[in-house]
Amino acid sequence: MKKLKDKSERLLLGKIIEAEAESGNPDMKLVRECTDKIEATAGKLTDSEIEAKLAKITGAKKTTVTHARFKKRKLWVSVVAASLAVVMVTAAAATSNLWGWLTFPFTRDSGQLTEVPEGYVGIYTEADLDLIRNDPDGNFILMADIDLGGKEHTPIGDYLNPFDGMFNGNGHVISNFTINASGASIWETVSGEELQARWNAQKKKLNSGKYKIDVFNLPAYSIFGLDGRFDERYDNKTYEEYDMQYISSVGFFGDAGNATITGLGVENATVSVTDADYAAVGVIAGRAGYISACYVKDSTVTIGANTADVEAYANGREMDIFEYMMKEPGLSIRGCERVYSVSAGLLAGEVFAIDSCYTDGTLNASGIGSDNIDYSTLSAGSLAGYGGSAVSSYSTATVNIEGNVFRSQGMLGKACLTPCIVPTPVFETLVNEHMSGGYFYFYDINKRNDKDTKASFEKTLFCFYYLHGNDLEDLTSVESYISLEDIEYAFFIDGDGVRTMDSMCIISAMSTHYDRLQLMELLERLGDIDAIEQLYKDAGMRVGAICCYTPEGKEKAEFYEGFDFGEVWTMKNGMPVLKIFG
Amino acid sequence: MKEIDFSAFFKEYYPPLRAFCVARFSIDGYDADDYASQAFSDLWQTWDNFKNSPPPSIFSWLCMRVKSLFIDEYRKRKRAPDEVEYNEELHGIPDIDGAAEDESYQAYLSEIRSKLGERENEIFTAMVEQSLGIDRTAELLGMTRSGTLTAWYRLRTKLSGILKNIF
């Protein structure tokens, strides 16, 4: 009877794995769970047996098969296999998940590279850092530790020339530097033509195919004080001048919103920022795309957020920023109440994703809002102030935060539930859920007729899509799923091909004011957070702080679920350390 | 997308693929090794096409590949057993769904079904018991593909919890 039950169990487990495989995006945790149970009755292979099988397969010539049983297989099997491969490669590209994006090959390198790999520029000295400033789209690799001797460091990459490349720290350390900066947002008045040119340049850059990460693809600026809108919906009018407000990004890298930074250690750094009203502050970067296998220790970040100081009235009525950005044409706006939005972390102020990192040090953040307090936020995290995901990381840093505004802290001071990169299956799930249940409530500009009263949020069918890698297959899948007759607003970022006039007003207004994380945070704030979070979890997405720890009392590797102690981490004196740093 | 190292991928995914063969085809570990090895051999020959794909998707492909190999051999044997050109002895490959008719297995399924809701039972029957896959399940139940996927994602989470209780 016991044997029969084993057989039943095994069959069911096999069918579950098969169903998972059929879905195209199997949950490997579930599969491994099933595998353990099957192996318990069917026997488990030893490591040496697996090695032997691997050697047999990889040592075989292309036409050689591995077992006598298959020696007589016909050629068509190979043809079918090749066809299947093509089909599955297409499917695989469409079923990438966030975890896949987070785990980089170099994270798993077991040691430092001693030669500069092809396509990279080696950084050996402090002077070489200027090479990065001169080629902000390049790929760089650190080939030696750099001690900056306590010097004042100017962040690499700013709002006009962000670092968008790859920086591989290669297991080396940059140490002893100080940054003293203003966190006040940067204001600039630009002509309508200039704004349009920047917008087009940004789109062109993103559509070049080079920016595979594609995270903060929109410039971190907002437009204030414009008399009219940058809006193609009504009259395609271009206005003469725009007041631009840029985020102040402070860190070793300043604005590196599209960059990947990996294998870098930073020690004994002091970052101090005052008068911050729209800022992202961190030791490694103010803003970054991906940070993996990095650490920060013995470092301090101090940030003071500044109070709002601009009165805002429209037609004699106080307005908030969001309303301002969505105002009707012709509405006279003289100004807007200025709020502050500050994100600070030991790794970075804002970052899309963190993988296998740790921090130690202190972060002190304080902010005071105005009396009629608004949307000012102060987000401080021991890893990052604001981010999409942090996985397999830990922190021993101390975070002190105070102020009379909205505050948040933790590993990620504020986590944006929605990953910026949404794989196609998840996108399909989201669309399906949105269209059937309407999770999101969105500000419907078409239904707002009374210009002098607060607009109400009306339930609107709404969807969004982040196109990653400029993948035309994905774009096609979007088009097949979206019928503008069925929804009121289609929300597309990155692609030029599927935007509609109806959606343009929202895209332009939102994208000029909010960067991606902020945009998603707004959407989540307007929707049912619990339902959205569950939806993402059901879809197998990894968002928020996952497998992140404060290591107190966790002196053994088994306490760190999710950490790869084979290739990425190792235990040293009861603490996990990154292997690449030796 | 990152480039995957075949060796690392093999070491991580060979055991679950072998376990899948053991469980799904009701065969022993030696036979399962044959199918899993062949599937990985096929994968190795076209690895350039796969190395930038997410590993779980490649695993999906491998599962479909071993299933295809198994069915291919089984049909061949059923159709013309005397003409099968194997050098080795024929293994007792059972009817691929034969074990599902076993009384104990059905009782076991009933135990699981009792913990599922009505819609979940439908999805379970189509996806797990009948192995119809997403597209056919969606068609059968009159759902969209994405809706079926969502339902399956939810069901598998629940199943995972149920299995822990049962085993």
Side-chain angles (χ1 to χ4, degrees):
Chain A
M1 186 63 193
K2 178 72 171 68
K3 191 177 178 184
L4 206 55
K5 187 170 186 300
D6 287 344
K7 185 181 170 187
S8 298
E9 287 173 354
R10 284 207 306 267
L11 180 57
L12 178 70
L13 294 173
K15 289 192 168 198
I16 288 175
I17 295 175
E18 183 181 3
E20 277 295 302
E22 290 271 8
S23 76
N25 187 25
D27 177 355
M28 291 311 298
K29 187 180 173 190
L30 179 63
V31 169
R32 290 197 180 93
E33 201 172 301
C34 294
T35 302
D36 289 344
K37 294 183 192 306
I38 295 166
E39 286 181 334
T41 57
K44 186 176 181 178
L45 290 176
T46 63
D47 289 346
S48 59
E49 285 173 325
I50 294 175
E51 288 281 3
K53 290 180 187 303
L54 171 65
K56 201 169 182 180
I57 288 172
T58 55
K61 291 180 180 177
K62 192 170 182 179
T63 53
T64 306
V65 291
T66 55
H67 195 279
R69 159 179 278 180
F70 297 101
K71 280 182 179 173
K72 302 291 184 181
R73 296 197 71 79
K74 301 284 191 298
L75 179 63
W76 67 266
V77 172
S78 301
V79 175
V80 170
S83 305
L84 269 174
V86 172
V87 171
M88 290 309 299
V89 163
T90 306
T95 56
S96 60
N97 55 39
L98 188 60
W99 190 266
W101 286 87
L102 288 178
T103 309
F104 300 107
F106 31 78
T107 304
R108 298 183 179 279
D109 285 347
S110 56
Q112 295 170 338
L113 299 177
T114 53
E115 292 184 7
V116 177
E118 188 178 350
Y120 282 76
V121 175
I123 302 294
Y124 295 86
T125 66
E126 179 187 350
D128 290 344
L129 294 175
D130 285 338
L131 296 173
I132 309 175
R133 297 180 204 277
N134 296 333
D135 182 14
D137 293 343
N139 298 330
F140 300 90
I141 182 167
L142 195 56
M143 300 303 291
D145 292 348
I146 296 179
D147 185 338
L148 295 176
K151 288 179 188 169
E152 178 80 19
H153 170 74
T154 303
I156 298 169
D158 61 20
Y159 69 105
L160 283 179
N161 293 297
F163 175 58
D164 284 344
M166 165 83 78
F167 186 84
N168 185 348
N170 194 28
H172 289 291
V173 177
I174 294 175
S175 60
N176 295 317
F177 64 87
T178 301
I179 299 173
N180 290 297
S182 167
S185 51
I186 300 144
W187 290 82
E188 181 185 21
T189 300
V190 299
S191 67
E193 289 75 13
E194 172 64 17
L195 180 62
Q196 188 69 56
R198 288 185 191 180
W199 181 258
N200 291 337
Q202 184 77 5
K203 286 195 292 187
K204 185 178 177 184
K205 192 173 178 181
L206 290 161
N207 289 334
S208 67
K210 179 178 178 183
Y211 294 90
K212 58 186 181 300
I213 295 168
D214 221 10
V215 183
F216 295 104
N217 71 334
L218 298 167
Y221 58 61
S222 57
I223 302 176
F224 278 78
L226 56 121
D227 184 19
R229 298 190 307 167
F230 181 58
D231 179 1
E232 298 174 25
R233 179 170 179 240
Y234 288 91
D235 53 13
N236 211 17
K237 182 177 178 181
T238 300
Y239 299 92
E240 291 182 359
E241 282 191 342
Y242 297 87
D243 290 336
M244 310 286 292
Q245 184 193 28
Y246 291 88
I247 192 168
S248 178
S249 303
V250 183
F252 183 81
F253 290 95
D255 194 331
N258 273 318
T260 293
I261 301 166
T262 184
L264 173 64
V266 176
E267 298 180 7
N268 296 313
T270 303
V271 179
S272 181
V273 172
T274 55
D275 297 328
D277 60 8
Y278 186 29
V281 182
V283 172
I284 288 183
R287 304 171 74 238
Y290 289 89
I291 298 182
S292 74
C294 291
Y295 75 82
V296 170
K297 70 177 185 180
D298 301 329
S299 298
T300 304
V301 171
T302 305
I303 186 164
N306 203 9
T307 185
D309 59 359
V310 177
E311 296 288 325
Y313 294 96
N315 292 350
R317 180 175 62 82
E318 191 171 351
M319 298 184 73
D320 61 50
I321 287 181
F322 180 59
E323 188 180 3
Y324 172 82
M325 294 307 298
M326 303 297 290
K327 69 187 182 298
E328 287 290 342
L331 184 63
S332 173
I333 307 289
R334 296 191 185 87
C336 184
E337 184 170 18
R338 199 164 112 196
V339 299
Y340 65 77
S341 176
V342 175
S343 301
L346 265 297
L347 284 175
E350 292 183 0
V351 57
F352 173 59
I354 294 168
D355 179 22
S356 302
C357 294
Y358 68 93
T359 62
D360 179 33
T362 305
L363 190 156
N364 298 309
S366 60
I368 300 172
S370 60
D371 292 337
N372 53 342
I373 205 58
D374 36 53
Y375 297 121
S376 288
T377 59
L378 184 54
S379 303
S382 54
L383 293 174
Y386 193 19
S389 294
V391 296
S392 308
S393 300
Y394 75 91
S395 178
T396 54
T398 302
V399 177
N400 303 309
I401 179 169
E402 57 183 29
N404 64 345
V405 294
F406 178 78
R407 297 173 294 159
S408 57
Q409 65 188 95
M411 292 278 183
L412 288 175
K414 190 163 58 173
C416 172
L417 283 178
T418 309
C420 294
I421 298 168
V422 180
T424 302
V426 178
F427 168 71
E428 291 170 355
T429 304
L430 293 172
V431 170
N432 183 65
E433 292 288 343
H434 294 168
M435 294 180 80
S436 61
Y439 277 154
F440 289 152
Y441 290 80
F442 202 79
Y443 187 93
D444 187 345
I445 196 167
N446 287 324
K447 295 178 181 174
R448 184 177 165 223
N449 297 317
D450 184 355
K451 297 172 183 171
D452 293 327
T453 58
K454 281 267 185 184
S456 61
F457 290 108
E458 296 188 38
K459 192 172 182 177
T460 304
L461 288 173
F462 160 79
C463 70
F464 63 95
Y465 180 64
Y466 285 122
L467 186 65
H468 60 85
N470 302 296
D471 189 330
L472 290 177
E473 292 282 346
D474 284 355
L475 191 63
T476 305
S477 73
V478 175
E479 288 176 316
S480 68
Y481 262 88
I482 304 298
S483 165
L484 293 176
E485 294 174 359
D486 296 329
I487 60 171
E488 293 186 46
Y489 292 120
F491 203 93
F492 302 111
I493 306 287
D494 291 357
D496 286 330
V498 222
R499 293 184 178 184
T500 69
M501 295 305 277
D502 278 345
S503 65
M504 276 307 294
C505 66
I506 291 183
I507 291 173
S508 60
M510 299 295 289
S511 59
T512 49
H513 181 67
Y514 293 94
D515 68 24
R516 291 186 145 200
L517 284 179
Q518 289 172 307
L519 177 64
M520 287 297 101
E521 192 273 335
L522 173 71
L523 296 176
E524 286 158 4
R525 185 152 53 84
L526 299 176
D528 181 340
I529 292 293
D530 292 338
I532 293 169
E533 184 173 5
Q534 190 57 47
L535 176 66
Y536 295 149
K537 285 180 179 174
D538 289 347
M541 302 187 75
R542 296 167 187 270
V543 291
I546 303 154
C547 298
C548 290
Y549 305 93
T550 50
E552 187 177 354
K554 299 182 182 66
E555 71 285 355
K556 293 180 181 175
E558 60 250 40
F559 292 129
Y560 294 88
E561 184 185 354
F563 279 45
D564 184 346
F565 279 99
E567 296 183 74
V568 180
W569 297 93
T570 186
M571 290 301 285
K572 193 173 182 180
N573 300 325
M575 297 281 282
V577 293
L578 292 161
K579 288 181 73 173
I580 194 170
F581 290 95
Chain B
M1 182 61 73
K2 63 171 184 172
E3 189 172 310
I4 308 164
D5 174 64
F6 183 83
S7 298
F9 179 81
F10 182 90
K11 288 170 189 170
E12 190 174 354
Y13 286 86
Y14 186 83
L17 186 67
R18 178 180 180 267
F20 169 65
C21 294
V22 167
R24 186 65 186 89
F25 309 145
S26 298
I27 55 178
D28 62 29
Y30 295 105
D31 286 345
D33 276 332
D34 284 351
Y35 289 108
S37 294
Q38 181 60 40
F40 265 100
S41 180
D42 294 345
L43 178 70
W44 171 241
Q45 292 176 43
T46 54
W47 183 241
D48 285 346
N49 295 332
F50 283 91
K51 62 187 180 185
N52 294 313
S53 304
S57 298
I58 304 175
F59 180 74
S60 278
W61 183 86
L62 286 167
C63 289
M64 297 305 108
R65 185 78 193 114
V66 291
K67 189 178 166 188
S68 169
L69 289 170
F70 179 82
I71 293 173
D72 182 46
E73 287 198 22
Y74 179 64
R75 283 179 179 161
K76 210 173 193 179
R77 181 187 166 219
K78 291 272 282 185
R79 191 169 54 242
D82 295 338
E83 297 172 11
V84 177
E85 299 171 316
Y86 295 142
N87 294 331
E88 297 184 356
E89 75 280 11
L90 288 173
H91 295 264
I93 301 172
D95 184 337
I96 195 166
D97 289 316
E101 295 169 6
D102 185 275
E103 193 175 311
S104 297
Y105 178 69
Q106 290 302 327
Y108 178 57
L109 288 187
S110 297
E111 190 180 351
I112 294 170
R113 279 207 197 99
S114 66
K115 299 176 191 304
L116 303 177
E118 187 178 342
R119 194 60 162 176
E120 289 169 336
N121 257 305
E122 290 176 352
I123 301 285
F124 180 78
T125 302
M127 289 287 291
V128 179
E129 289 184 52
Q130 299 177 1
S131 307
L132 294 181
I134 293 292
D135 291 329
R136 289 182 63 197
T137 299
E139 187 181 348
L140 185 71
L141 300 180
M143 299 169 68
T144 62
R145 187 180 194 281
S146 55
T148 310
L149 263 177
T150 305
W152 168 245
Y153 289 149
R154 288 176 177 158
L155 176 60
R156 76 182 185 191
T157 305
K158 192 166 182 176
L159 274 179
S160 181
I162 292 172
L163 293 174
K164 278 176 192 165
N165 293 333
I166 289 177
F167 292 163

